[in-house]
Amino acid sequence: MEFHNILSFSIALTSILIVSVTAFMLRILRGKQVKIPPAPQAKGALPIIGHLHHLGGSKITHHVLGDMSEKYGPVFTIKLGVHQALVVSSGAVAKECLTTNDKAFASRPKSKAVEFMTYNYGAFGVAPYGAYWRQVRKIIMHEVLSHTRVEMLGHVRVSELKASTKDIYETWRTNKDSEGSEMVKMDMQQLFGNLVINLLMRVVSGHRLHYKDAEAVRFQNVVKKFFKLFTTFVAADFLPFTNGFDLGGYEKEMKMVGKEIDDIVEGWLRRRKEERESSSRQQQEGDQHFMDVLISTVQDATEDDFPGFDHDTVIKATSLGIIIAGSDTTSVTLTWALALLLNNPHALKAVQDEIDKHVGRDRLVEESDLKNLVYLDAVIKETMRLHPAGPLSVPHESMEDCTVSGYNIPKGTRLFVNIWKIHRDPNIWADPLEFKPERFLTTHKDIDLKGKSFELLPFGSGRRMCPGIFFVLKVMPLTLANMIQQFVISKPSNEPLDLTESPGQTGSKATPLEVLLAPRLSLNMYHDGE
């Protein structure tokens, strides 16, 4: 018994010594270990401003960064004034950033545009990571943009689409005699913009804007100003010592746009509250508009639920964020899709034939038909590959030190994922510059658009990916299918359409998409809309 106790004690002591010595040696080794190197920095930085001069002017930012990646590889850093930014141009590295380091890169950098035009960082998509963002995200993902909620709004999408296509038909009917032709020239970029804004307005507030009304013109103008200013270089964002000087007067203009936006959205909210007060409880419970859901959700919330924001600001900022984020990106993708189809008439005919086969010409395309329109789905995927609505992802900012591709990335580094470059990687995509929808029916038929396939990231990935993905993936195919089913659309000449991109956050088409258009169905089909 005594021997057994001595043996047990000896084993225990030996184990403690082994663990202690191992821990001590590991500490020594860590102290001697070579530090993880920082990511390589692109050459050509100037004192104070860094690489900002490469990204200004008429140059398209994601093109410039794409060219840099050819020199410096899929991972490199640039200096934006006092800030360091990590540029990623590889799907594999993007996956590492947005999965392994998803929490580290979960925040957004601050800027004057976001401060002055989105309720002081109140808009969900650009809000920094924290308690406010988590609470709003919870509401949006469960109560506003969930798969179930999006399905419930199907009748609104169908109703608005009918009303908008009827507007297009009426414009054709009014103009065809004056133009002396059955085919009337129209700007599809503007038509898609009007359609999508109205659709989002109906979903958010229950109202639509008639594109000739003063309210519609005012809102469209302020949205244009918003996007122009959102991508404008503001010195104070990168060079803090210029803060307070408002070089270029952009901050003053941003404040004016922010005030005008608030006046408009405040009007929507006030009108919605008045309508709710005059309706019965049963009617209120049946309301399905985003603004109603937000009003009901936040009315019993405490100040601690939304730190720094009152309830009305939460509703206005979230509603604005949904409309701003969804309107331009969706209309841009629809514009590119139609432009690519017109430049590839065999593909346009394939879509028309598919719709005629599965739907016919005696009724309009419905959401239940979309599952059968596989070539149309491939066209949309190929459009988002070539022209993603966010070619350079909305920037992230690291909240802690992390490691990416074996490199040390310090806290406070901004992350740019060059989605445009990833989508054109020749190692992934055969003939990457060519429009080939068929690839999504064969070699890439299993591609996922919901952030799991990192070779195709039109909506991003991780906790900061686009929350409106279910909504957009309903709107785009239904809208494009209805336009192609209901109208004969052709180019104004035999020349290919200009596919030049314009600088900016959404990578829109630089020139208007002017087409010749005429009804394709029996004329009585255009009188059933609202």
Side-chain angles (χ1 to χ4, degrees), residues 276-287 299:
R276 286 171 62 85
E277 288 175 2
S278 63
S279 63
S280 66
R281 178 174 294 276
Q282 185 176 3
Q283 287 175 315
Q284 288 185 28
E285 291 174 352
D287 285 334
Q299 63 185 0

Side-chain angles (χ1 to χ4, degrees), residues 156-410:
V156 178
R157 291 190 293 273
V158 171
S159 173
E160 179 52 41
L161 188 55
K162 285 183 178 180
S164 294
T165 51
K166 183 180 177 182
D167 286 346
I168 295 172
Y169 167 78
E170 293 297 336
T171 301
W172 167 82
R173 193 168 66 86
T174 302
N175 294 340
K176 70 182 183 70
D177 293 333
S178 61
E179 295 191 16
S181 172
E182 287 296 308
M183 299 291 284
V184 173
K185 183 178 286 189
M186 293 191 187
D187 180 358
M188 292 304 300
Q189 200 164 4
Q190 181 178 357
L191 290 175
F192 280 138
N194 293 338
L195 188 154
V196 173
I197 283 179
N198 264 323
L199 179 56
L200 289 165
M201 282 291 300
R202 283 281 301 277
V203 168
V204 169
S205 69
H207 295 272
R208 76 187 302 258
L209 300 172
H210 296 280
Y211 67 94
K212 293 182 181 179
D213 289 351
E215 184 183 5
V217 172
R218 182 189 180 196
F219 182 65
Q220 290 167 351
N221 287 337
V222 79
V223 168
K224 289 178 183 177
K225 292 176 185 176
F226 176 92
F227 278 108
K228 180 181 179 182
L229 289 169
F230 200 80
T231 56
T232 296
F233 169 81
V234 178
D237 288 339
F238 307 100
L239 307 170
F241 61 84
T242 66
N243 199 18
F245 292 100
D246 191 14
L247 301 177
Y250 298 122
E251 294 180 38
K252 180 181 179 181
E253 193 173 354
M254 288 174 179
K255 289 177 182 178
M256 292 173 61
V257 169
K259 177 64 169 61
E260 189 171 4
I261 286 174
D262 182 57
D263 288 343
I264 294 172
V265 183
E266 175 68 33
W268 299 342
L269 178 57
R270 184 169 57 250
R271 179 168 56 187
R272 200 69 202 134
K273 284 183 174 181
E274 291 171 355
E275 290 171 348
R276 286 171 62 85
E277 288 175 2
S278 63
S279 63
S280 66
R281 178 174 294 276
Q282 185 176 3
Q283 287 175 315
Q284 288 185 28
E285 291 174 352
D287 285 334
Q288 298 174 345
H289 305 299
F290 286 172
M291 198 168 271
D292 293 302
V293 174
L294 291 168
I295 291 171
S296 299
T297 303
V298 306
Q299 63 185 0
D300 297 324
T302 66
E303 292 182 2
D304 294 334
D305 289 330
F306 303 101
F309 298 91
D310 61 69
H311 293 173
D312 280 1
T313 299
V314 173
I315 297 168
K316 290 188 291 184
T318 305
S319 299
L320 174 68
I322 291 170
I323 292 174
I324 290 291
S327 61
D328 204 47
T329 53
T330 306
S331 61
V332 161
T333 302
L334 288 168
T335 300
W336 279 120
L338 185 56
L340 289 166
L341 287 171
L342 289 171
N343 272 359
N344 295 272
H346 67 282
L348 178 58
K349 185 177 186 305
V351 174
Q352 287 175 334
D353 290 346
E354 183 177 62
I355 294 171
D356 288 345
K357 176 183 177 180
H358 293 286
V359 182
R361 300 194 187 191
D362 297 326
R363 66 176 180 87
L364 301 182
V365 177
E366 300 174 358
E367 287 190 351
S368 59
D369 296 313
L370 296 179
K371 62 181 181 295
N372 298 319
L373 304 181
V374 294
Y375 192 79
L376 174 71
D377 179 68
V379 165
I380 290 174
K381 286 178 179 176
E382 181 71 341
T383 300
M384 291 191 287
R385 183 188 71 82
L386 284 170
H387 297 284
L392 195 65
S393 66
V394 179
H396 298 242
E397 185 171 271
S398 60
M399 300 185 294
E400 58 191 45
D401 294 350
C402 60
T403 303
V404 174
S405 196
Y407 296 117
N408 175 56
I409 306 301

Side-chain angles (χ1 to χ4, degrees), residues 44-53 79-82 239 241:
L46 296 178
I48 302 178
I49 68 170
H51 295 90
L52 284 173
H53 62 294
K79 288 290 290 182
L80 302 177
V82 299
L239 307 170
F241 61 84

Side-chain angles (χ1 to χ4, degrees), residues 427-462:
N427 296 315
I428 303 295
W429 309 97
D431 302 316
L433 304 184
E434 299 298 320
F435 177 70
K436 291 185 175 182
E438 295 77 11
R439 70 175 87 237
F440 290 103
L441 303 177
T442 54
T443 55
H444 293 82
K445 64 180 179 180
D446 297 324
I447 286 287
D448 174 77
L449 290 177
K450 300 170 185 175
K452 303 298 183 183
S453 301
F454 286 84
E455 59 268 50
L456 190 69
L457 292 170
F459 300 100
S461 184

Side-chain angles (χ1 to χ4, degrees), residues 500-516:
T500 305
E501 295 177 63
S502 65
Q505 186 77 24
T506 55
S508 59
K509 189 174 177 295
T511 56
L513 178 56
E514 292 188 336
V515 305
L516 297 176

